Amino acid sequence: MSTFTIDTATSRATPSPVPGKRMTVPAIRARKQDGRTEQPIVMLTAYTMRMAQLLDPHCEVLLVGDSLGQVIYGLPSTVPVTLEMMCAHGAAVVRGSWHSLVAVDMPFGSYEGSLEQAFASAARIMKETGCAAVKLEGGEAMAPTIDFLTHRGIPVIGHVGLTPQAVNVLGGYGARGKSVTEAKKIVSDAKAVADAGAFLIVAEGVMEEIATKVAREVPVPIIGIGASAECDGQVLVTEDMLGLFERTPRFVKRYADLASEIGAAAGRYADEVRARAFPTAEQTYRPKS
Ligand code: KIV
């Protein structure tokens, strides 16, 4: 069952209630011209309607990342994340945004089996959420899948370098590209993914020098996370950036300290409840005098 409402300004059935139009795949792709991106692309993760509403005016792309496995569901990795989770959260983020392009991660096990499996999963995500693109992890090995999807109406964001869904093969979440062989592989992976038709590529956990090389040599915009300021844009997990977790990777910069603020607010509430200082006359219903 579809859970979204179309809100593009071009829909006759449901004209957009807001001015302007969502960012489109061609508009995002066109931000990089002749190997240069004048204005870096701003991407953040979002998993819920309210967070999408708050982030939307500041971003070009909202990514419904499978990092929701750890951030929302407390799972040990992204491996157990399901299509159902991605569809439910993807639909919520589309409902909470009107400006950003919304892209949804394809979860582990939903696309690697065959081209047909990848198409069925991606089509389901797009139908059930209303998102404009999907993201999948992997380099050269995934190029045929990206080609298959993009030729069938499904815009794809690639993801190279540290690919968290492969944590069991990689053995951890350390930065990639430390050896010459690994560095060369990251560059050839990014080129293969771009040649296959990806309109954007996330480069995660990559040595700065390699990320810069990828950004300079690959024609499509490269979005860095733990990569390089030379990338064509940046993405962070929003909850990391807002300071909701005490432990974060080295590449995260905290722009707020929400964990402390939430703890302090919950503490004040608890104190007032225990002291019967909440609710007061202002928060209770009384007969009108
Ligand atoms: O799942 C995710 O949030 C991601 C970003 C970290 C790029 O893939």
Side-chain angles (χ1 to χ4, degrees):
M1 196 188 69
S2 178
T3 54
F4 74 96
T5 38
I6 294 167
D7 70 347
T8 65
T10 53
S11 167
R12 263 195 207 103
T14 50
S16 170
V18 290
K21 242 169 56 146
R22 261 190 210 278
M23 294 297 299
T24 63
V25 166
I28 299 275
R29 169 64 191 86
R31 292 285 279 269
K32 190 168 185 174
Q33 296 289 339
D34 305 320
R36 275 207 75 237
T37 300
E38 200 69 55
Q39 213 192 3
I41 297 163
V42 180
M43 189 196 276
L44 279 170
T45 61
Y47 318 119
T48 62
M49 178 281 298
R50 183 60 183 143
M51 193 61 89
Q53 284 179 334
L54 295 172
L55 304 177
D56 186 54
H58 306 282
C59 295
E60 275 86 41
V61 183
L62 289 177
L63 173 67
V64 187
D66 61 353
S67 51
L68 62 74
Q70 290 112 314
V71 176
I72 301 281
Y73 290 94
L75 294 168
S77 73
T78 55
V79 173
V81 171
T82 64
L83 263 178
E84 285 69 26
M85 290 175 186
M86 297 313 301
C87 286
H89 288 274
V93 169
V94 170
R95 284 195 291 269
S97 59
W98 58 270
H99 160 74
S100 305
L101 182 143
V102 177
V104 176
D105 259 344
M106 298 189 72
F108 177 68
S110 73
Y111 61 96
E112 305 90 330
S114 67
L115 301 179
E116 291 72 21
Q117 184 210 21
F119 182 81
S121 300
R124 178 176 167 194
I125 290 173
M126 293 188 79
K127 280 173 187 283
E128 291 192 15
T129 68
C131 73
V134 296
K135 178 167 81 56
L136 57 85
E137 295 183 8
E140 282 167 310
M142 280 300 133
T145 306
I146 295 169
D147 179 75
F148 193 81
L149 296 181
T150 51
H151 282 94
R152 284 161 182 77
I154 299 180
V156 177
I157 300 178
H159 186 149
V160 300
L162 171 62
T163 48
Q165 291 177 10
V167 64
N168 291 301
V169 174
L170 301 176
Y173 296 103
R176 313 300 298 168
K178 288 181 183 161
S179 72
V180 176
T181 320
E182 219 173 76
K184 280 189 181 155
K185 173 90 177 100
I186 292 167
V187 177
S188 60
D189 275 345
K191 286 183 177 165
V193 165
D195 287 348
F199 72 98
L200 215 60
I201 300 173
V202 169
E204 177 169 359
V206 175
M207 300 301 284
E208 186 185 27
E209 193 187 338
I210 308 306
T212 301
K213 184 174 164 68
V214 169
R216 290 198 181 137
E217 293 185 8
V218 175
V220 305
I222 305 296
I223 307 298
I225 170 164
S228 160
E230 294 292 309
C231 287
D232 306 290
Q234 301 292 329
V235 60
L236 281 177
V237 169
T238 297
E239 284 73 1
D240 286 343
M241 183 273 286
L242 293 177
L244 274 163
F245 291 104
E246 284 72 23
R247 282 185 58 219
T248 46
R250 171 194 157 87
F251 58 74
V252 171
K253 179 170 175 186
R254 289 188 193 163
Y255 289 85
D257 185 12
L258 289 198
S260 301
E261 282 200 37
I262 291 172
R268 286 198 302 276
Y269 167 74
D271 288 347
E272 290 193 5
V273 169
R274 289 184 185 120
R276 295 193 194 282
F278 172 83
T280 65
E282 263 180 61
Q283 293 99 26
T284 46
Y285 296 104
R286 297 172 176 200
K288 284 196 181 111
S289 48

